[in-house]
Amino acid sequence: MTETKGATVSVAVEDGIAMVTVDNPPVNAISQAIRQGLIDAMAEINGNPEVAAAIIIGAGRYFMAGADVREFDKPALPPSLPEAIASIESSEKPVVAAIHGVALGGGLEVALGCHYRIVDPGAKLGLPEVALGIIPGSGGTQRLPRLIGFAKALDLISSGRQAGAGEAAEMGLVDAVAEGELAAAAMDFIRQRIGAAPPRLSAIDAPAPESQDFFETARRRLARRARGQESIVRALDALEAATLPFDQGAKREREIFNELRGSDQAKALRHAFFAERAVAKVAALDGAKPREVASIGVVGGGTMGAGIAVASLRAGYQVTMVEASTDALTRGLGNVEKNLDGYVSRGRMSEETKAGLMAEFTGAVDYGALGPADLIIEAVFEDMAVKKDVFAKLDAVAKPGAVLATNTSYLDIDEIAAATNRPGDVIGLHFFAPAHIMRLLEIIRAASTTPDVVATGFAVGRRLGKVGVLAGICDGFIGNRISAKFRQQAYAMIEDGALPWEVDAAMEAFGMAMGPFRVMDLSGLDITWAMRKRQAPTRDPRERYVAIADRICEAGWLGQKTGRGWYVYEDGKPSPNADAESIIIEESEKKGIARRPFTAQEIQDRILYAMINEGAKIVEEGIAQRPLDVDMVEIMGYGFPRWRGGPMCAADIIGLDQVLGKIRDYAREDAFYWAPAPLLQRLVADGKTFSDLNGG
Ligand code: 3HC
């Protein structure tokens, strides 16, 4: 038995079969101790004449979740995983991998090094390495196409998706799906193979690619899909090397793996992986128990309310929707049904499941119907007086202990809570449209929100499949506050000489899902217009105000919904709005600005640095707990490229001194807008990074 700090590989022999159990809680990550343990176990098995065959199995919930990602920030520790896998594959005695839970990344590579694979019906298999900015580095790109062909291997490796047991069996990735208990089924399976020559994937040639131009076509397609993410394209290079003899291909794979392992993109994607899990860890909530939630009330049946209702139904909650009139309710119910039909028509939900969900869904025009709900989420028009009225009504009907949530995207939740006699039960749950699809949920703690209500927000968010991020109260919370700030920079640039489509193209080349002007057209220009009008009375006179967007709105061009905004939409396709360009040029002239060209790099820098500076202020004010919370909001809700790790991680990678230097340069032209965040200045002075504030 090899043992290091709780990570063990043990061998137990029973009736001539060795059961090799990998045990490294919680997910059996393949750390150095496990790699060494596998090599020792194989030596023991091959040296023991009483053993005829072996089974490799995982203790706990999973077979193996892959290489230990925490080791990637440090120098590689011998022995390597390819060495461990080679020791399994070269065994003279047959070895079967008995897979339950997941076999991911290096875990699946271990299984591919075994001579056979048998799986539990609930098992999932995949090579998710590209999502971590690397490629399978222990033979995955070489053995997988030898087993299932290039097309299927490329699909699994480039998407990182997990295949279920049935699909894995169909594609030939596994030899058998276990009936009954997995270990017993593996015993029966391997006993029948004793004496037969163990099949080794490294000993055979890969089949011919599915078409002559297979790699060329795939390269073009993947480059488009990758939007700047290197690992996806490099995985194809490694896969192509599987056309070579195994040793040469495996060497090439390892070289690419090692190159990517220390890359900025891999660091950023690892950060995103751990940040996604860390957001749920809220120090201030230690010990707070979430309240029981089985039924959810939704006030409002518009796009947001319907999306929230659908997300809740799909997560198994009973849902009651309340609208102000019978007509509005009919529309709301229709919106919910339309969303569910979308799943059905895409083959992602059966009619039967839909009918089952609709049976859990009721509508009413009377607030009294919300009385039994454990959690009520308000999603009505964004207006303080309207929201206060709704909350006063909820206060009158909701049962004691019900959580009352508002989906406001910027209004003061303390003020909303004050409309009730139970402000401790009031919280912000800020969903993002479309609410049944977008994974971000900002969980906003008002001054009086009790810890168990915040804990309930996280628990419900998790059950809805969302990534919940805690935020404090300010105008726009985390995400919309940053967007407002960088939109101002985008406006300033178009007034100084850039054009909206140049800004969008630069930001899309940076990796954003959509440029800021296209986003505005999509959400409707009236939303930010209303916000500017609301802020007008308190706007600081030192702020540079760009009136271009107001003029566009005054012309009645509100974006996609009116067929015209920054762009003109014909058949849904955007082309630059020449009239908007005339307005932009007029506005520059009005202010006597000599328009100048902007490079894509300058556009990207200004927008990114505006996000970083505001993000630092948000962390400093305690609106976000840590920089990683800002990163997750931007990645999950605002299309920030995950492979850049979010704005705060991107700042660390660029170097905070360089970021601060640029902000100070920009401050020479607009000292108010570009006032450097004190936190950023302090970190630079202390030689620290944002990641130092993330803890753990
Ligand atoms: N290495 C190190 N830690 C890992 C890990 C890994 N591969 N996978 C998960 N963990 C940690 C998580 O960070 C978390 O830690 P925490 O409790 O301190 O927050 C803990 O294990 C539990 O993870 P989850 O909260 O995600 O647990 P779930 O049960 O929800 O999900 C999982 C389990 C499906 C295994 C999921 O964790 C997962 O997808 N893990 C990553 C799998 C992966 O990407 N593997 C490839 C690694 S790279 C590789 O193998 C390279 C090879 O080709 C050489």
Side-chain angles (χ1 to χ4, degrees), residues 26-27 29-30 61-62 64-72 81-82 102 104-107 109 127-129 131-132 134-138 162 254 257 273-274 277-278 281:
V27 298
I30 311 168
R61 289 169 62 203
Y62 302 115
M64 284 175 236
D68 186 343
V69 180
R70 293 187 197 274
E71 282 184 0
F72 288 0
L81 187 52
V102 300
L104 297 177
E109 290 177 304
L127 291 170
E129 283 88 344
L132 289 167
I134 52 174
I135 61 161
S138 302
Q162 298 175 8
R254 197 67 182 171
F257 171 81
F273 175 82
F274 288 114
R277 286 154 179 82
K281 294 174 185 152

Side-chain angles (χ1 to χ4, degrees), residues 313-587:
L313 287 168
R314 292 193 70 218
Y317 291 108
Q318 279 182 337
V319 178
T320 304
M321 175 182 278
V322 165
E323 255 294 1
S325 67
T326 317
D327 278 356
L329 181 62
T330 307
R331 272 196 304 277
L333 301 184
N335 287 340
V336 169
E337 188 147 20
K338 201 164 70 201
N339 283 340
L340 292 176
D341 283 339
Y343 288 106
V344 175
S345 65
R346 287 196 305 276
R348 296 190 42 210
M349 187 183 284
S350 67
E351 282 287 358
E352 205 185 345
T353 309
K354 181 194 148 188
L357 296 186
M358 288 303 284
E360 297 297 316
F361 181 50
T362 48
V365 288
D366 170 14
Y367 272 67
L370 297 171
D374 301 313
L375 161 67
I376 305 173
I377 305 172
E378 160 280 311
V380 302
F381 186 62
E382 197 73 339
D383 176 273
M384 184 54 93
V386 176
K387 303 254 184 202
K388 279 176 153 172
D389 181 51
V390 168
F391 272 77
K393 285 186 183 140
L394 292 181
D395 193 24
V397 298
K399 67 179 182 187
V403 172
L404 308 182
T406 170
N407 179 50
T408 181
S409 40
Y410 55 82
L411 295 175
D412 183 346
I413 300 172
D414 285 324
E415 199 178 332
I416 297 174
T420 73
N421 290 307
R422 41 174 127 181
D425 294 341
V426 177
I427 190 169
L429 291 180
H430 182 207
F431 290 81
F432 291 74
H436 56 302
I437 294 172
M438 294 292 287
R439 290 195 60 215
L440 177 63
L441 179 67
E442 278 183 327
I443 298 173
I444 297 124
R445 175 165 49 184
S448 42
T449 312
T450 58
D452 64 328
V453 167
V454 179
T456 310
F458 274 96
V460 170
R462 200 172 312 120
R463 183 154 155 201
L464 293 175
K466 309 283 180 210
V467 175
V469 178
L470 187 67
I473 291 189
C474 66
D475 199 338
F477 314 125
I478 300 176
N480 282 343
R481 175 165 157 185
I482 292 181
S483 293
K485 196 73 187 177
F486 85 63
R487 240 187 342 260
Q488 284 178 349
Q489 188 52 206
Y491 294 147
M493 284 192 281
I494 60 170
E495 196 174 56
D496 285 341
L499 290 169
W501 26 99
E502 290 168 0
V503 174
D504 283 352
M507 293 321 292
E508 284 160 22
F510 176 82
M512 297 293 291
M514 233 189 227
F517 292 97
R518 282 185 58 203
V519 171
M520 285 183 245
D521 270 5
L522 183 67
S523 13
L525 268 64
D526 45 336
I527 296 188
T528 41
W529 193 22
M531 202 183 295
R532 288 193 299 277
K533 286 186 201 160
R534 176 176 56 86
Q535 290 164 339
T538 53
R539 187 168 294 127
D540 194 303
R542 290 169 298 172
E543 184 184 314
R544 169 176 176 180
Y545 190 75
V546 178
I548 298 170
D550 295 347
R551 299 246 351 245
I552 304 280
C553 293
E554 285 156 14
W557 305 330
L558 300 181
Q560 282 191 24
K561 62 182 166 192
T562 59
R564 195 176 266 255
W566 300 104
Y567 296 85
V568 177
Y569 296 85
E570 266 157 29
D571 302 327
K573 283 209 190 83
S575 55
N577 180 354
D579 296 328
E581 184 170 342
S582 308
I583 291 179
I584 292 168
I585 291 167
E586 266 171 44
E587 287 295 313

